[in-house]
Amino acid sequence: AVKEFLNWADTRGLRADEILPAPESTLLEYAATFTGRLVGGTVRAKISAIKTWHTSHCWKGGDLLCKVLTKVERKAPMSSRRPERPGVSDDMMMIPH
């Protein structure tokens, strides 16, 4: 995920001081690029990897980044969603006993 972030930053022409530590605006832009392409959990995992990489420096993510991640999650393609599973019935609860 970090390598992917660095490649993305390179294609944007960002300098090293603009990506380490990355300002929240850069992280917002990066996260938003996945809108409609990936599920929110995948994007959160990518941001988490970047956060781990940044931890020894200075993490710049904040509330706005959390909001963007939520929006990305809501715009995930329908093909990435599974149908809701049926609830657990009383009979199912008796099986372990």
Side-chain angles (χ1 to χ4, degrees):
V2 172
K3 185 176 180 180
E4 184 179 5
F5 173 70
L6 293 174
N7 288 337
W8 172 85
D10 187 49
T11 63
R12 298 292 186 282
L14 299 176
R15 298 182 317 269
D17 63 326
E18 295 175 305
I19 58 172
L20 188 61
E24 186 174 22
S25 59
T26 300
L27 298 169
L28 293 171
E29 186 180 345
Y30 178 67
T33 64
F34 297 107
T35 302
R37 296 188 312 135
L38 296 176
V39 295
T42 302
V43 180
R44 286 181 189 277
K46 289 176 181 294
I47 296 295
S48 180
I50 294 165
K51 181 180 180 180
T52 301
W53 180 60
H54 276 80
T55 298
S56 63
H57 296 79
C58 180
W59 177 245
K60 299 287 186 178
D63 291 337
L64 192 55
L65 180 59
C66 289
K67 289 177 183 179
V68 167
L69 291 173
T70 298
K71 297 291 183 185
V72 168
E73 190 169 329
R74 289 182 184 161
K75 296 284 186 178
M78 291 304 294
S79 62
S80 69
R81 297 191 174 128
R82 296 181 187 173
E84 189 173 324
R85 295 180 187 182
V88 176
S89 68
D90 289 335
D91 291 337
M92 291 176 177
M93 292 301 292
M94 296 306 292
I95 292 173
H97 297 292

